Amino acid sequence: MSPARYLDRHQADLVTFLQKLIRLRTVNPPGENYGEITTLLAATLRDLGLQVRRLPVPRALQKKTQPELLDYPRHNVIGFWDTGAKKTIHFNAHYDVVPVSGKWRHGSPFNPVVENGWIYGRGTADMKGAIASIVFALKALRATGIKPGFNVEVSFTADEETDSTLGTGWVTSHGKLRADYAVVGEGGEGDGVCCGHNGVVWLNVRVHGRAAHGSTPEAGINALEKMSALVLALNGYKQRLAQRTFISPDGRRMHPTINLGGVFASGEGGKVNTVPAAASFSIDRRVLPIESVPDAERELRAFLRAAAKKIPQCRITIEKISDNFSCYTAPTHPLFGAMRASVARVRRRPAKFIVSTGFNDMHFFASVLKIPTIGHGPSGIDYHAVNERARLKDLTDSAKIYADLLMTFKG
Ligand SMILES: [Zn+2]
């Protein structure tokens, strides 16, 4: 039997496994049930004959990076299938999911229900579905006695939905990985093979004014007015950014963007008859795959400082909320061609190289480990939203694609 045939016959088992994963509410923040799910994933990989390390993130490190979450320890799982080959291909997926709200079609988002070929539940699309596809690709190869021409390394990681520092970030820096190539199970879906993604810089700008009685506004410094002037000045910067272009391999023209004031606020104790003493707004700067995130941050901070200087009595402080790196690898390495061929074979239509406007964990492999890295996995609907769901056929197809890649990629 071929692995593809095996996967067609075992779709129900894949779904049962995915349901088990969904029922474990690994909501992040704060990062619940990480111990339980990594225990399950480690046992699953062990049953497949992999050498498994279930790695707790050192408490001291967590204390440094997320002291408020010490009641929620972080774990990552790494599996290794030693086929005796020289080189290793790595598959990565994160197991944490975003918090839930709203009214779901089937009641609880953690009670996964199958309906008309779709499975509903938090994490079905992002991205426990990909975990199931990876596990079942390996199962199919094992069951049909096919040994890939590579060692296969797998990581199932924490915290992607926050900042990945103690998840894939920690695994790629401390996990002693043997990866020569990486496939991250998201970023590309359908006919899209992802070879890079945008980055982000999130800043918060605080404008400091001086309070005064509303009847004598000239005695104060109105933080809202200063903030407004600063926001207007950022229009020029937006236009400057719009002139930078990156053309993705599928011909899409992309520009860096900024979104202002996703969060904005006044200071404490605002009153209609008081000159506002403080105002703040957030900036979401999207960084092109070929731009550097630290450079983008430096440039943005410099622009803000210079713009504030030109506004009389405008004093600001800039805080970083977080950032996430961009990455891009030109799809010239044979891994990319092999993946494109596997996607086309399984999905029976031509595949193309794309870059993702969102970000994921690819950059840790592409930019930190500097290895050829692809993003591809099952698609879904309503990511991070009510009624998140994945198509069963797509989960099986992704498993077939991973198995096909392992059988056909020659390095
Ligand atoms: Zn995700």
Side-chain angles (χ1 to χ4, degrees), residues 22-38:
I22 303 295
R23 283 191 194 106
L24 286 170
R25 308 169 181 227
T26 48
V27 173
N28 175 36
E32 294 165 355
N33 300 308
Y34 283 9
E36 286 81 350
I37 199 162
T38 50

Side-chain angles (χ1 to χ4, degrees), residues 251-309:
R252 194 153 51 115
R253 193 174 284 272
M254 297 168 69
H255 307 283
T257 57
I258 49 178
N259 175 46
L260 301 179
V263 179
F264 64 95
S266 61
E268 294 283 296
K271 279 179 80 192
V272 67
N273 61 349
T274 303
V275 174
S280 67
F281 65 102
S282 63
I283 303 181
D284 176 353
R285 158 80 153 95
R286 299 289 160 148
V287 180
L288 289 179
I290 49 163
E291 285 185 295
S292 136
V293 165
D295 286 353
E297 182 184 340
R298 257 194 300 278
E299 183 192 81
L300 178 55
R301 282 175 180 269
F303 180 90
L304 285 164
R305 276 193 300 267
K309 236 184 208 157

